[in-house]
Amino acid sequence: QVQLVESGGGLVQPGGSLRLSCAASGNIFSINATGWYRQAPGKQRELVAVITSGGSTNYADSVKGRFTISRDNARNTVYLQMNSLKPEDTAVYYCNLDTRTPWGRKNYWGQGTHGTVSS
């Protein structure tokens, strides 16, 4: 079983920063990519940023230049550094792990962490 534990959410003023962490544990065979998604109240979950096993990254247009995804392979942890935060960044942020197993592809989700941007 694979577990993802997110942390780092909280309340921050506009223009401030938050750093989210996603720590993975358990029987992970091989990782395709790790992504951060978010879901704002009344909206669908959307992809924020993704980092592949090869280190390639991709970002939603709304966060380019403000957010940075990175990883620490030794700690099995992926980070999302969020700078210049705006009220519209307020959402529950979820970590997603896209893996390959001997039985096929499998996705895992964390429980989510709240990020609130408000003055």
Side-chain angles (χ1 to χ4, degrees):
Q1 188 70 358
V2 173
Q3 287 188 327
L4 301 177
V5 178
E6 299 117 329
S7 61
L11 172 64
V12 65
Q13 292 186 339
S17 298
L18 287 173
R19 188 191 193 210
L20 307 183
S21 299
C22 172
S25 62
N27 295 323
I28 301 171
F29 286 93
S30 182
I31 297 174
N32 288 324
T34 307
W36 283 98
Y37 291 71
R38 68 185 180 187
Q39 188 165 17
K43 294 188 177 181
Q44 290 189 331
R45 191 173 297 190
E46 62 174 355
L47 176 67
V48 175
V50 63
I51 184 166
T52 69
S53 59
S56 298
T57 58
N58 198 22
Y59 298 90
D61 287 342
S62 58
V63 307
K64 281 181 181 176
R66 301 188 297 123
F67 291 11
T68 302
I69 189 170
S70 62
R71 67 183 180 197
D72 183 337
N73 291 332
R75 296 175 184 268
N76 266 351
T77 300
V78 171
Y79 304 96
L80 185 67
Q81 178 67 44
M82 306 189 294
N83 298 328
S84 301
L85 283 163
K86 305 174 182 179
E88 52 263 42
D89 294 317
T90 296
V92 179
Y93 286 77
Y94 297 92
C95 179
N96 172 268
L97 191 64
D98 178 9
T99 70
R100 297 189 301 273
T101 77
W103 307 278
R105 196 169 179 177
K106 193 159 186 178
N107 259 269
Y108 300 93
W109 290 92
Q111 81 286 356
T113 184
H114 289 260
T116 302
V117 184
S118 176
S119 55

